[in-house]
PDB file of all heavy atoms in Angstrom:
ATOM      1  N   GLU B 375     -23.829  -2.170  17.681  1.00  0.00           N
ATOM      2  CA  GLU B 375     -24.571  -1.408  18.687  1.00  0.00           C
ATOM      3  C   GLU B 375     -24.467  -2.017  20.075  1.00  0.00           C
ATOM      4  O   GLU B 375     -25.119  -1.551  20.997  1.00  0.00           O
ATOM      5  CB  GLU B 375     -26.051  -1.307  18.281  1.00  0.00           C
ATOM      6  CG  GLU B 375     -26.283  -0.537  17.001  1.00  0.00           C
ATOM      7  CD  GLU B 375     -25.793   0.897  17.100  1.00  0.00           C
ATOM      8  OE1 GLU B 375     -26.012   1.517  18.166  1.00  0.00           O
ATOM      9  OE2 GLU B 375     -25.189   1.396  16.131  1.00  0.00           O
ATOM     10  N   ASP B 376     -23.659  -3.049  20.215  1.00  0.00           N
ATOM     11  CA  ASP B 376     -23.470  -3.699  21.514  1.00  0.00           C
ATOM     12  C   ASP B 376     -22.077  -3.410  22.045  1.00  0.00           C
ATOM     13  O   ASP B 376     -21.149  -3.142  21.282  1.00  0.00           O
ATOM     14  CB  ASP B 376     -23.673  -5.211  21.401  1.00  0.00           C
ATOM     15  CG  ASP B 376     -25.100  -5.576  21.038  1.00  0.00           C
ATOM     16  OD1 ASP B 376     -25.988  -4.743  21.296  1.00  0.00           O
ATOM     17  OD2 ASP B 376     -25.327  -6.677  20.498  1.00  0.00           O
ATOM     18  N   VAL B 377     -21.949  -3.503  23.370  1.00  0.00           N
ATOM     19  CA  VAL B 377     -20.672  -3.255  24.020  1.00  0.00           C
ATOM     20  C   VAL B 377     -20.435  -4.346  25.047  1.00  0.00           C
ATOM     21  O   VAL B 377     -21.384  -4.834  25.685  1.00  0.00           O
ATOM     22  CB  VAL B 377     -20.647  -1.860  24.678  1.00  0.00           C
ATOM     23  CG1 VAL B 377     -21.675  -1.750  25.774  1.00  0.00           C
ATOM     24  CG2 VAL B 377     -19.264  -1.535  25.187  1.00  0.00           C
ATOM     25  N   GLU B 378     -19.182  -4.765  25.182  1.00  0.00           N
ATOM     26  CA  GLU B 378     -18.843  -5.827  26.123  1.00  0.00           C
ATOM     27  C   GLU B 378     -18.617  -5.256  27.515  1.00  0.00           C
ATOM     28  O   GLU B 378     -17.969  -4.222  27.676  1.00  0.00           O
ATOM     29  CB  GLU B 378     -17.589  -6.561  25.657  1.00  0.00           C
ATOM     30  CG  GLU B 378     -17.210  -7.730  26.555  1.00  0.00           C
ATOM     31  CD  GLU B 378     -15.927  -8.411  26.135  1.00  0.00           C
ATOM     32  OE1 GLU B 378     -15.247  -7.893  25.224  1.00  0.00           O
ATOM     33  OE2 GLU B 378     -15.590  -9.454  26.728  1.00  0.00           O
ATOM     34  N   ILE B 379     -19.148  -5.955  28.500  1.00  0.00           N
ATOM     35  CA  ILE B 379     -18.961  -5.571  29.902  1.00  0.00           C
ATOM     36  C   ILE B 379     -17.823  -6.398  30.476  1.00  0.00           C
ATOM     37  O   ILE B 379     -17.875  -7.639  30.494  1.00  0.00           O
ATOM     38  CB  ILE B 379     -20.246  -5.799  30.716  1.00  0.00           C
ATOM     39  CG1 ILE B 379     -21.415  -5.026  30.102  1.00  0.00           C
ATOM     40  CG2 ILE B 379     -20.036  -5.373  32.156  1.00  0.00           C
ATOM     41  CD1 ILE B 379     -21.216  -3.544  30.055  1.00  0.00           C
ATOM     42  N   ALA B 380     -16.786  -5.713  30.952  1.00  0.00           N
ATOM     43  CA  ALA B 380     -15.642  -6.414  31.530  1.00  0.00           C
ATOM     44  C   ALA B 380     -15.902  -6.773  32.990  1.00  0.00           C
ATOM     45  O   ALA B 380     -15.583  -7.876  33.435  1.00  0.00           O
ATOM     46  CB  ALA B 380     -14.387  -5.562  31.412  1.00  0.00           C
ATOM     47  N   HIS B 381     -16.500  -5.850  33.737  1.00  0.00           N
ATOM     48  CA  HIS B 381     -16.791  -6.072  35.162  1.00  0.00           C
ATOM     49  C   HIS B 381     -18.105  -5.375  35.510  1.00  0.00           C
ATOM     50  O   HIS B 381     -18.431  -4.331  34.945  1.00  0.00           O
ATOM     51  CB  HIS B 381     -15.677  -5.511  36.046  1.00  0.00           C
ATOM     52  CG  HIS B 381     -14.324  -6.096  35.775  1.00  0.00           C
ATOM     53  ND1 HIS B 381     -13.978  -7.374  36.110  1.00  0.00           N
ATOM     54  CD2 HIS B 381     -13.232  -5.562  35.153  1.00  0.00           C
ATOM     55  CE1 HIS B 381     -12.731  -7.607  35.722  1.00  0.00           C
ATOM     56  NE2 HIS B 381     -12.262  -6.526  35.141  1.00  0.00           N
ATOM     57  N   GLY B 382     -18.859  -5.962  36.456  1.00  0.00           N
ATOM     58  CA  GLY B 382     -20.067  -5.311  36.963  1.00  0.00           C
ATOM     59  C   GLY B 382     -21.329  -6.126  36.814  1.00  0.00           C
ATOM     60  O   GLY B 382     -22.267  -5.963  37.592  1.00  0.00           O
ATOM     61  N   VAL B 383     -21.402  -6.972  35.777  1.00  0.00           N
ATOM     62  CA  VAL B 383     -22.567  -7.826  35.592  1.00  0.00           C
ATOM     63  C   VAL B 383     -22.087  -9.233  35.298  1.00  0.00           C
ATOM     64  O   VAL B 383     -20.928  -9.453  34.964  1.00  0.00           O
ATOM     65  CB  VAL B 383     -23.461  -7.324  34.434  1.00  0.00           C
ATOM     66  CG1 VAL B 383     -23.991  -5.929  34.705  1.00  0.00           C
ATOM     67  CG2 VAL B 383     -22.720  -7.354  33.110  1.00  0.00           C
ATOM     68  N   LYS B 384     -23.016 -10.184  35.425  1.00  0.00           N
ATOM     69  CA  LYS B 384     -22.698 -11.582  35.145  1.00  0.00           C
ATOM     70  C   LYS B 384     -23.771 -12.171  34.254  1.00  0.00           C
ATOM     71  O   LYS B 384     -24.853 -11.588  34.069  1.00  0.00           O
ATOM     72  CB  LYS B 384     -22.572 -12.372  36.436  1.00  0.00           C
ATOM     73  CG  LYS B 384     -23.830 -12.421  37.273  1.00  0.00           C
ATOM     74  CD  LYS B 384     -23.572 -13.151  38.570  1.00  0.00           C
ATOM     75  CE  LYS B 384     -24.845 -13.277  39.409  1.00  0.00           C
ATOM     76  NZ  LYS B 384     -25.366 -11.964  39.813  1.00  0.00           N
ATOM     77  N   SER B 385     -23.482 -13.316  33.684  1.00  0.00           N
ATOM     78  CA  SER B 385     -24.431 -13.972  32.794  1.00  0.00           C
ATOM     79  C   SER B 385     -25.717 -14.284  33.550  1.00  0.00           C
ATOM     80  O   SER B 385     -25.692 -14.787  34.685  1.00  0.00           O
ATOM     81  CB  SER B 385     -23.812 -15.270  32.247  1.00  0.00           C
ATOM     82  OG  SER B 385     -24.701 -15.904  31.359  1.00  0.00           O
ATOM     83  N   GLY B 386     -26.857 -13.978  32.936  1.00  0.00           N
ATOM     84  CA  GLY B 386     -28.159 -14.207  33.553  1.00  0.00           C
ATOM     85  C   GLY B 386     -28.778 -12.971  34.160  1.00  0.00           C
ATOM     86  O   GLY B 386     -29.985 -12.957  34.433  1.00  0.00           O
ATOM     87  N   ASP B 387     -27.998 -11.907  34.392  1.00  0.00           N
ATOM     88  CA  ASP B 387     -28.554 -10.667  34.945  1.00  0.00           C
ATOM     89  C   ASP B 387     -29.502 -10.023  33.929  1.00  0.00           C
ATOM     90  O   ASP B 387     -29.317 -10.132  32.722  1.00  0.00           O
ATOM     91  CB  ASP B 387     -27.438  -9.679  35.292  1.00  0.00           C
ATOM     92  CG  ASP B 387     -26.680 -10.089  36.531  1.00  0.00           C
ATOM     93  OD1 ASP B 387     -27.172 -10.953  37.268  1.00  0.00           O
ATOM     94  OD2 ASP B 387     -25.583  -9.533  36.767  1.00  0.00           O
ATOM     95  N   MET B 388     -30.549  -9.340  34.487  1.00  0.00           N
ATOM     96  CA  MET B 388     -31.490  -8.599  33.650  1.00  0.00           C
ATOM     97  C   MET B 388     -31.061  -7.137  33.645  1.00  0.00           C
ATOM     98  O   MET B 388     -31.057  -6.473  34.692  1.00  0.00           O
ATOM     99  CB  MET B 388     -32.910  -8.740  34.180  1.00  0.00           C
ATOM    100  CG  MET B 388     -33.476 -10.149  34.111  1.00  0.00           C
ATOM    101  SD  MET B 388     -33.717 -10.725  32.403  1.00  0.00           S
ATOM    102  CE  MET B 388     -35.041  -9.641  31.879  1.00  0.00           C
ATOM    103  N   VAL B 389     -30.686  -6.627  32.467  1.00  0.00           N
ATOM    104  CA  VAL B 389     -30.212  -5.262  32.340  1.00  0.00           C
ATOM    105  C   VAL B 389     -31.289  -4.429  31.657  1.00  0.00           C
ATOM    106  O   VAL B 389     -31.842  -4.822  30.624  1.00  0.00           O
ATOM    107  CB  VAL B 389     -28.904  -5.204  31.526  1.00  0.00           C
ATOM    108  CG1 VAL B 389     -28.471  -3.770  31.306  1.00  0.00           C
ATOM    109  CG2 VAL B 389     -27.808  -5.975  32.241  1.00  0.00           C
ATOM    110  N   VAL B 390     -31.572  -3.261  32.226  1.00  0.00           N
ATOM    111  CA  VAL B 390     -32.591  -2.376  31.692  1.00  0.00           C
ATOM    112  C   VAL B 390     -32.042  -1.683  30.438  1.00  0.00           C
ATOM    113  O   VAL B 390     -30.930  -1.150  30.443  1.00  0.00           O
ATOM    114  CB  VAL B 390     -33.021  -1.328  32.733  1.00  0.00           C
ATOM    115  CG1 VAL B 390     -34.033  -0.348  32.126  1.00  0.00           C
ATOM    116  CG2 VAL B 390     -33.605  -2.012  33.954  1.00  0.00           C
ATOM    117  N   VAL B 391     -32.852  -1.693  29.373  1.00  0.00           N
ATOM    118  CA  VAL B 391     -32.506  -1.005  28.132  1.00  0.00           C
ATOM    119  C   VAL B 391     -33.153   0.377  28.145  1.00  0.00           C
ATOM    120  O   VAL B 391     -34.314   0.520  28.517  1.00  0.00           O
ATOM    121  CB  VAL B 391     -32.986  -1.812  26.915  1.00  0.00           C
ATOM    122  CG1 VAL B 391     -32.608  -1.092  25.616  1.00  0.00           C
ATOM    123  CG2 VAL B 391     -32.414  -3.217  26.934  1.00  0.00           C
ATOM    124  N   ASP B 392     -32.409   1.396  27.792  1.00  0.00           N
ATOM    125  CA  ASP B 392     -32.900   2.783  27.802  1.00  0.00           C
ATOM    126  C   ASP B 392     -33.470   3.134  29.182  1.00  0.00           C
ATOM    127  O   ASP B 392     -34.668   3.389  29.336  1.00  0.00           O
ATOM    128  CB  ASP B 392     -33.964   3.001  26.731  1.00  0.00           C
ATOM    129  CG  ASP B 392     -33.424   2.790  25.331  1.00  0.00           C
ATOM    130  OD1 ASP B 392     -32.288   3.204  25.071  1.00  0.00           O
ATOM    131  OD2 ASP B 392     -34.150   2.202  24.498  1.00  0.00           O
ATOM    132  N   PRO B 393     -32.648   3.174  30.222  1.00  0.00           N
ATOM    133  CA  PRO B 393     -33.159   3.419  31.586  1.00  0.00           C
ATOM    134  C   PRO B 393     -33.732   4.810  31.779  1.00  0.00           C
ATOM    135  O   PRO B 393     -34.559   5.016  32.691  1.00  0.00           O
ATOM    136  CB  PRO B 393     -31.921   3.200  32.459  1.00  0.00           C
ATOM    137  CG  PRO B 393     -30.769   3.411  31.550  1.00  0.00           C
ATOM    138  CD  PRO B 393     -31.199   2.964  30.205  1.00  0.00           C
ATOM    139  N   GLY B 394     -33.332   5.781  30.984  1.00  0.00           N
ATOM    140  CA  GLY B 394     -33.909   7.125  31.115  1.00  0.00           C
ATOM    141  C   GLY B 394     -33.689   7.703  32.504  1.00  0.00           C
ATOM    142  O   GLY B 394     -32.582   7.756  33.025  1.00  0.00           O
ATOM    143  N   GLY B 395     -34.784   8.131  33.129  1.00  0.00           N
ATOM    144  CA  GLY B 395     -34.695   8.751  34.458  1.00  0.00           C
ATOM    145  C   GLY B 395     -34.883   7.772  35.595  1.00  0.00           C
ATOM    146  O   GLY B 395     -35.346   8.168  36.684  1.00  0.00           O
ATOM    147  N   LEU B 396     -34.561   6.524  35.391  1.00  0.00           N
ATOM    148  CA  LEU B 396     -34.720   5.502  36.435  1.00  0.00           C
ATOM    149  C   LEU B 396     -33.809   5.814  37.621  1.00  0.00           C
ATOM    150  O   LEU B 396     -32.690   6.284  37.452  1.00  0.00           O
ATOM    151  CB  LEU B 396     -34.390   4.133  35.840  1.00  0.00           C
ATOM    152  CG  LEU B 396     -34.921   2.900  36.570  1.00  0.00           C
ATOM    153  CD1 LEU B 396     -36.441   2.922  36.620  1.00  0.00           C
ATOM    154  CD2 LEU B 396     -34.433   1.629  35.876  1.00  0.00           C
ATOM    155  N   ARG B 397     -34.354   5.524  38.842  1.00  0.00           N
ATOM    156  CA  ARG B 397     -33.580   5.788  40.060  1.00  0.00           C
ATOM    157  C   ARG B 397     -33.243   4.477  40.750  1.00  0.00           C
ATOM    158  O   ARG B 397     -33.972   3.482  40.619  1.00  0.00           O
ATOM    159  CB  ARG B 397     -34.356   6.681  41.025  1.00  0.00           C
ATOM    160  CG  ARG B 397     -34.739   8.038  40.447  1.00  0.00           C
ATOM    161  CD  ARG B 397     -35.339   8.932  41.541  1.00  0.00           C
ATOM    162  NE  ARG B 397     -36.410   8.259  42.251  1.00  0.00           N
ATOM    163  CZ  ARG B 397     -37.671   8.228  41.841  1.00  0.00           C
ATOM    164  NH1 ARG B 397     -38.023   8.796  40.686  1.00  0.00           N
ATOM    165  NH2 ARG B 397     -38.591   7.608  42.553  1.00  0.00           N
ATOM    166  N   ASN B 398     -32.156   4.496  41.483  1.00  0.00           N
ATOM    167  CA  ASN B 398     -31.730   3.322  42.227  1.00  0.00           C
ATOM    168  C   ASN B 398     -32.773   2.975  43.279  1.00  0.00           C
ATOM    169  O   ASN B 398     -33.212   3.827  44.060  1.00  0.00           O
ATOM    170  CB  ASN B 398     -30.377   3.583  42.891  1.00  0.00           C
ATOM    171  CG  ASN B 398     -29.812   2.327  43.523  1.00  0.00           C
ATOM    172  OD1 ASN B 398     -30.034   1.227  43.044  1.00  0.00           O
ATOM    173  ND2 ASN B 398     -29.089   2.495  44.620  1.00  0.00           N
ATOM    174  N   GLY B 399     -33.220   1.722  43.310  1.00  0.00           N
ATOM    175  CA  GLY B 399     -34.214   1.268  44.276  1.00  0.00           C
ATOM    176  C   GLY B 399     -35.645   1.459  43.838  1.00  0.00           C
ATOM    177  O   GLY B 399     -36.568   1.024  44.544  1.00  0.00           O
ATOM    178  N   GLN B 400     -35.875   2.089  42.702  1.00  0.00           N
ATOM    179  CA  GLN B 400     -37.238   2.337  42.245  1.00  0.00           C
ATOM    180  C   GLN B 400     -37.884   1.025  41.814  1.00  0.00           C
ATOM    181  O   GLN B 400     -37.263   0.173  41.191  1.00  0.00           O
ATOM    182  CB  GLN B 400     -37.221   3.323  41.078  1.00  0.00           C
ATOM    183  CG  GLN B 400     -38.598   3.713  40.573  1.00  0.00           C
ATOM    184  CD  GLN B 400     -38.517   4.757  39.474  1.00  0.00           C
ATOM    185  OE1 GLN B 400     -37.449   5.259  39.168  1.00  0.00           O
ATOM    186  NE2 GLN B 400     -39.664   5.096  38.918  1.00  0.00           N
ATOM    187  N   ALA B 401     -39.145   0.865  42.142  1.00  0.00           N
ATOM    188  CA  ALA B 401     -39.900  -0.315  41.756  1.00  0.00           C
ATOM    189  C   ALA B 401     -40.091  -0.319  40.242  1.00  0.00           C
ATOM    190  O   ALA B 401     -40.429   0.718  39.656  1.00  0.00           O
ATOM    191  CB  ALA B 401     -41.236  -0.376  42.463  1.00  0.00           C
ATOM    192  N   VAL B 402     -39.890  -1.477  39.602  1.00  0.00           N
ATOM    193  CA  VAL B 402     -40.024  -1.590  38.167  1.00  0.00           C
ATOM    194  C   VAL B 402     -40.835  -2.807  37.819  1.00  0.00           C
ATOM    195  O   VAL B 402     -40.974  -3.759  38.628  1.00  0.00           O
ATOM    196  CB  VAL B 402     -38.643  -1.660  37.491  1.00  0.00           C
ATOM    197  CG1 VAL B 402     -37.869  -0.370  37.680  1.00  0.00           C
ATOM    198  CG2 VAL B 402     -37.834  -2.846  38.006  1.00  0.00           C
TER     199      VAL B 402
END
Side-chain angles (χ1 to χ4, degrees):
E375 296 300 319
D376 295 337
V377 63
E378 183 183 7
I379 303 299
H381 301 289
V383 299
K384 62 184 183 297
S385 181
D387 286 345
M388 295 293 292
V389 176
V390 176
V391 181
D392 297 320
L396 200 61
R397 301 188 308 275
N398 188 32
Q400 183 176 354
V402 295

